[in-house]
Amino acid sequence: GTTVSSSTSTTAASTATTQAAASGGSIKTGLKVVVIPKVIGNSYFTTADSVQSGGALAALQSLGETGSETSGTAATPSSQLPVIQSAITQGANALVISATDPTALCPTLNQAMAKGITVVTYDSDAPTCRNLFVNQASTSQIGTSEVDLLAKQINSTGDIAIVSATASATNQNAWIGYMKQELTKYPNMHLVSIVYGNDDPATATAVTQGLLQQYPNLKGIISPTTVGIAAAAALLDTPQYRGKIALTGLATPNEMKKYVADGTVTSFELWNPANLGYLAGYAAAELASKAITNTPGQTFTAGKLGKYTIASDHSILLGAPYVFDKTNINNFNF
Amino acid sequence: MLQAETIELKDDIDSNRGAKGSFDVRSLVRWESGLGIVLIASLIIGTVASPQFLTSANFFNIGLSVGDIAIMALPLTLIVISGEIDLSVASILGLSSSLLGFLWIHGWPIQLIIPVVLIDGAILGFINGFLVTKLGLPSLAVTIGTLTLYRGIALILLGSNIVSNFPASYTTIGVNPIPGTPLPWSVGIFLILALIFGVVAHFTPLGRSIFAIGSNSEAAAYSGIKVKQIKMRLYILSGVVCSLAGILFTFRLATAEYDNATGLELNAVSIVLLAGVSIFGGRGTIIGVVLAAATVGAIGNALLLANFPQQAMGLINGGLLLISVFVPNARELFGRLRGHYARRRLVGLRRG
Amino acid sequence: MTLIEQNSQSNPSNSGSSVELVPSGASKFTSLVFRAREFGIFGILFIFVLLTTAIKPRFLAGQNIKFILIDTTIFALLALGETMVVVSKNVDLSIGSILGLSAFVSSNLYQQFHHVSIVFVFAVGIGIGLVLGVVNGVLIAFGRVPSLVVTLASLYIFRGLDVLIVGGRQVVASSLPSNFLSVTSASFGAIPIISIVVAIVVFGGAYYLKNYRSGRDLYAIGSSEQAAGLVGIPIAKRVFTAFAISGAIAGLAGVIWASYYGTIDSTAGTGYEFTVVTAVVVGGVAIFGGSGSAIGAAIGALLLNTINSSLYVLGVSAFWDQAISGLLLILAIALDRGIGLYLAKSLRKRSSRVAS
Amino acid sequence: MNLTIYLEIFGGTSLSNDKDSVISLTGAKKYFGAVHALEDGQIDLFAGEAHALVGENGAGKSTLVKIFAGLHRPDSGSLKFDGNEVFFNSPRDAIEAGVAVIYQEPTLFPDLTVAENIFMERQPQRSFRRIDYRSMNKAARVIFSRLEVDLDPTRLALGLSIAEQQIVEIAKALSLEARVIIMDEPTAALSSVEVHRLFRVAETLKNSGVAILFISHRLDEVFTLCERVTVMRDGRFVLTTMSSETNEDALVRAMVGRDVERRSDQIRGIDLKPLLEVEHLTLEGLFADISFTVAAGEVVALSGLVGAGRSEVATAIFGVRRYDYGSVKVGGKALKRGSPSSAMAAGIGLVPEDRRLQGLVMEQSIARNIAMGSFKSLKRKGLIRSLTETRFAADWSVKLQIKYGNLGNSVSTLSGGNQQKVVLAKWMSRSPKVLIVDEPTRGIDIGTKAEVHRLILELAKSGVAVLVISSELPEVLNLADRILVMREGRLVAEFDHKGATEEAIIAAATLSKEVKAA
Ligand SMILES: Nc1ncnc2c1ncn2[C@@H]1O[C@H](COP(=O)(O)OP(=O)(O)OP(=O)(O)O)[C@@H](O)[C@H]1O
Ligand SMILES: Nc1ncnc2c1ncn2[C@@H]1O[C@H](COP(=O)(O)OP(=O)(O)OP(=O)(O)O)[C@@H](O)[C@H]1O
Ligand SMILES: [Mg+2]
Ligand SMILES: [Mg+2]
């Protein structure tokens, strides 16, 4: 698996400290860092954040910080806000947050920054009110690569559809924008419909069923959300559809193992959420210790993950999304 | 004990109602002071859990987290006292928020949008009221229907749009307290509304009529109280107040989305029930609602500061709700269970 | 039933009386209206299917029927339990949370113990539902706390338990054995086997409610609690049982849910309570108790799913379908009320004409 | 009055009997808080015999019935069935012992069929303990044929007329195959034809050895059906006698405790200009073409059998029920249809029939209930203060001599008579021009009853137009200047005070087509 053993992370930490020292300052220990995923109890975020999986909290632990994970019970700004506020009240030094909304959290996050709290977003950005965004994969890259993946599976021809999360989901809407752009390169592929499964298995299943009926000639489905793709895969997992309708999107390997094995899904992609969290945790500690100054072009080494450069929009990119298929899926366990 | 017991069903129901529904000043006092004790207890727990709890910044946080729900709970309280229910409150909030965003991106000025949104709230409330009073449909079923309908209209209005470029002068209500106080704007408005609602409910003919309708709507009608008209007005009022909450919610989050406040109707209902308002109508106080809102906010915040797992918040909310209805009935429950067994032993004559 | 035999024997001696033993015209008429009430929504369903098929003939393709049936299966099952509760003038809002808890705990057994028997998994799911239903039942029937309040609280509490137990974990399809997944995927032609099984259960439930004294008791309690007490119906016991069964059914539905969706986290079944209450009401079960059947409720669930499906198939914008289903719900309630009023009025008119 | 006098007159309790008593009650006491519903209940029922129980309203007859039914547990006293001491802890116990009760108010399941209503909990079963609907319906038809009524067992109970509901109750009792059948005013809502049918059935039951307890306010029925009669007064057993050894006058004297006297004619300045004018009032299915007037200072009684539609007319005048055609005028001005508030603005008040459901908000305070009609006039600067409300209520409770512990207590703590006075206070405090009182003394003890009568007459004297609806003929004769009689939704007769007799009113109220034809 990809889980990092504690010994390696300790080594990584010490290397990081020396690296940081080289770039101008050292990482303080004992910082209070609060990790705030979109919602508590979601397996994707649990992987991204937890010590066991080597996520954000693992990075913070290895650096000697006090990290904690908390969030609301619904992935909405009104449920996330009180958590952010209480983190501010509790005197956090840094927040690592996946924003439930690009703008709604801004007044509060700005307030946090005004108090000198470092705000690092990960997974989902709030561009105007954070210090640094740790980007899992560039928005354009996810959009284009998913279209390309699907094109390969359907010979660049046929009707396709998208099963998204909620109609207002930030990431998904941005990716879909790039998908549409990328589709102009494939004149024989037609996007016939975008439906919303609201990240609820039952709704996602129902809307996907509707798609299959409404467009009998459908050749492919892209679902850039783990709940949507799982529902679609379960539906397509019948002899009637298997191999006839291609499915790709974003999913965790564990969710897709069965479908890749039986041929319902050929390939899909995702970044490693644990690495995403790890990088975000690391970057937050660096920033909060003023070990780095957040100037574009500056580089730092994030422990086991290696060297990263701060881009001009104050973001760092985890890397290209990883494509999972039959050949590699069994190497992963998350 | 057995001798004194009668088993007339009517009696049972009456005495049961008496326990829950009678206007007994002493029991009310006991209820509210009980809530007060819970509130004080949660304040103490909060203070122990975190030194930041008793800071004005934290009071602001507490207020912000319950402000809009508490505002929705006020008209809902009157509706429940009148013997009905409104589950569409959060959907009215969401639709008002969406309309606000929709009109804003279509270039309307905020000064014009606000009255339009409030009128829209009145219309949504009117629809509920029409279905309940004019068509005589059960309010529980009707407002489950409008809960879906209003949210659906919000989705039609805004679709996947997120509107967030509201002027900063409005959106500061989400971060800045009312000048000179630690209170967020929503709490300030809640307290003013609570005062008005409290006076209306407890010191005016209208208020007395609402209680009478909830206790016995037939007797109220026989006393010349315009039962349907009052219920209709309560629903319209609820619509207006919820759309006001929608405006506050939108500016607080600086965001209008179709799914704003989804699911908050249950939070509003549980504040109302926790306040000691009888689900059968006819009993409840506004001061209870204020205390219940404060308790819910304080407990939530204290648990947050104590790093209590947020996953378990549902347990706390549900548990509070259950305790609030169970405690007044506990004596009866045990009495009944005991009676049940006693009766078993004392079986009368059976025909062979 | 000695009395009846006696009476029928003694009847000839009374033969002077001019008693009509066939139903009079009035009652034939009203019983027709009544039957129409149950078949009314079947008619609406039929019209819907017909219209949609006329526009999109593929609507009736085997695969789509299968989809609609599977979805309906879960809701029809939940609606059976809800019907038992609603006819007794109560409501159970906690079924979505019970479903969620049962779905995770039962399917998670496969991750803990690899070779666990499928029967055991079902038993665990049903058992969890039963226990939670018993908790509801005790508080409502013996605690005399209104069911709306109790089940609203337990909606939160059971979901809270679920979230606590599940944490950030997830059961995924690849960890479930194929015989478990095939519980819902196996089909007989276009008809999923599980749907046939559930249909039998629903018919059985409806048959029980109609043909057994304890079933009729629930209707009697919902119709008039006072009168129920006077004829000696054990009210608390019956209401308690209804909640316990509703819980057990929600537990069973949870296992089926897990088998169908394959991916189970702590949100399974969120919001189902409103959908199920909607299905029950649309299916002609009076929200204030006393009348309605489990079959009507199941057809209500089928209607809701068919409407949703046809909105998708017809390509109605995803943005519109929620508003349309809300509107249809209100129409259904209003229609039901209208028929009820008409029925009451016609019964009264006719009876005043019949009376001397 | 002295009991022994009656014992001497009627031969007392020395009723030697060769039959065994099936069920008997002695020394039964039942208190509801301060209300002593039953002080000394005592009765013996014998197989094959009908036993009448008579007494004024509130004498405790229904309470006694409920003890037999297992609904009330007596505070003391003993209940014997076949000579054995028994406890009926629930209606089920009584039913299983073979005691069937037809309650004063029918209690049916509106959503279930007539046959199910009859056989609930005792439905015939077939294999696997399934309900046998076919034989259940058949059995119901057989019972109806015995009762000689044409009622479809498969129809819903919803919408049955009061009489039909009563028939279902009777059928229920018959189906029980009971050894004791108790009928609490079963004939109150029945037409004379239906009463005759019921009596024929009762005779058959008697012949098959059933013991019947029959309660009725119609003494002629008592003499037709019953071998034995027991009189109760104020919750106490007064006497039991064979009906062949007594007569109506004697029974009435025993019930009331004195000779029944007629009201001495009072001279009231009746303004003959009508104040309340009702014209062609019609509500389809309930009443039709009702026209009458009431002048200021006049007391008009609306009489008739239960179910004749009198209350419906009253509620239509007051506006809680909408009528279809016609008009209601007060002082020449027509009122808005279906609007109690406009009726109240015109000066109409209604003391409704059902105190608990319509007259009072039971869980609210006495003060609040008295003030309920006067909220608008009690407010100062838009607000009502509890103190104002309490003072107002205190004033009126003194005027009406209401006996209460604390005006802040809930009105349910009051006795029935005082509750009725609270309702009267609510309306009198509004100084109405027209007051409609529906069954003003139902369930009220004799002392309070007299006070209520005094209040009504005083109101009339002060120039109020009073419309009294009452099922008690003595009350009607005592109060009214004119008496209108309703039957099956129509006005059928009018008497003035002098011309009215009980017999004439009863004849007008009960005369039905069948009787005429027969
Ligand atoms: N549940 C109760 N609670 C309080 N008082 C009661 C209750 N039931 C009866 N009473 C009172 O007990 C007295 C006797 O009532 P009961 O119903 O037995 O009279 P009744 O002889 O049947 O009169 P009627 O002829 O009007 O039917 C009345 O004063 C009544 O108000
Ligand atoms: N539940 C009911 N269902 C159908 N019809 C009813 C019902 N209750 C009353 N009615 C009808 O309404 C009419 C009037 O009834 P109501 O009892 O009000 O008359 P009333 O003369 O006021 O008698 P009272 O006041 O003595 O009870 C009757 O025709 C009766 O059959
Ligand atoms: Mg009586
Ligand atoms: Mg009447």
Side-chain angles (χ1 to χ4, degrees), chain C residues 348 351, chain D residues 159-163 165 285-286 304-312 353 438-439 442 469 471:
Chain C
R348 190 163 299 149
S351 100
Chain D
L160 289 179
S161 71
I162 301 271
Q165 291 180 34
L286 293 179
L305 296 183
V306 173
R310 298 160 301 167
S311 297
E312 267 73 11
E353 174 176 27
D438 194 352
E439 306 287 1
R442 186 176 273 181
I469 298 172
S471 300

Side-chain angles (χ1 to χ4, degrees), chain A residues 132-139 141-142 276 279 307-311 313-321:
Chain A
L132 185 69
F133 173 44
V134 179
N135 197 350
Q136 56 269 48
S138 82
T139 312
Q141 213 176 1
I142 292 175
L276 174 67
L279 179 56
K307 208 169 185 181
Y308 287 91
T309 310
I310 297 175
D313 60 347
H314 298 285
S315 72
I316 47 181
L317 190 62
L318 179 66

Side-chain angles (χ1 to χ4, degrees), chain C residues 110-346:
Chain C
Y110 287 116
Q111 263 163 349
Q112 312 266 275
F113 318 96
H114 292 286
H115 298 294
V116 61
S117 136
I118 193 164
V119 176
F120 181 68
V121 170
F122 268 88
V124 166
I126 295 171
I128 289 172
L130 183 65
V131 169
L132 300 182
V134 163
V135 171
N136 281 337
V138 166
L139 290 175
I140 292 161
F142 300 107
R144 292 269 179 126
V145 180
S147 57
L148 185 73
V149 182
V150 168
T151 59
L152 179 62
S154 57
L155 174 153
Y156 282 120
I157 293 175
F158 298 163
R159 181 65 64 187
L161 278 178
D162 189 21
V163 177
L164 265 191
I165 291 171
V166 178
R169 288 182 295 162
Q170 196 178 24
V171 174
V172 295
S174 57
S175 65
L176 297 174
S178 61
N179 69 336
F180 181 67
L181 294 171
S182 66
V183 165
T184 45
S185 61
S187 70
F188 183 77
I191 304 187
I193 299 205
I194 188 74
S195 301
I196 299 174
V197 173
V198 167
I200 292 170
V201 171
V202 170
F203 271 99
Y207 190 83
Y208 163 78
L209 285 177
K210 170 92 185 151
N211 288 288
Y212 281 83
R213 285 182 184 173
S214 44
R216 295 316 288 170
D217 286 354
L218 289 174
Y219 287 86
I221 294 166
S223 191
S224 167
E225 199 173 324
Q226 188 198 349
L230 289 179
V231 296
I233 293 174
I235 297 173
K237 190 168 143 193
R238 295 283 181 265
V239 170
F240 167 80
T241 311
F243 276 94
I245 293 178
S246 175
I249 286 179
L252 171 62
V255 185
I256 296 175
W257 196 98
S259 157
Y260 182 47
Y261 291 110
T263 311
I264 304 106
D265 61 14
S266 58
T267 63
T270 306
Y272 273 32
E273 54 281 346
F274 284 158
T275 315
V276 172
V277 170
T278 305
V280 165
V281 171
V282 168
V285 178
I287 188 89
F288 289 130
S291 71
S293 81
I295 294 175
I299 301 175
L302 181 60
L303 178 65
L304 288 189
N305 276 307
T306 307
I307 288 173
N308 275 339
S309 171
S310 71
L311 292 179
Y312 297 135
V313 170
L314 292 174
V316 171
S317 156
F319 296 148
W320 280 80
D321 92 271
Q322 198 178 358
I324 292 177
S325 34
L327 201 60
L328 286 171
L329 167 62
I330 293 167
L331 283 178
I333 303 165
L335 192 73
D336 185 57
R337 164 85 179 171
I339 294 173
L341 280 183
Y342 173 74
L343 190 70
K345 198 170 169 180
S346 67

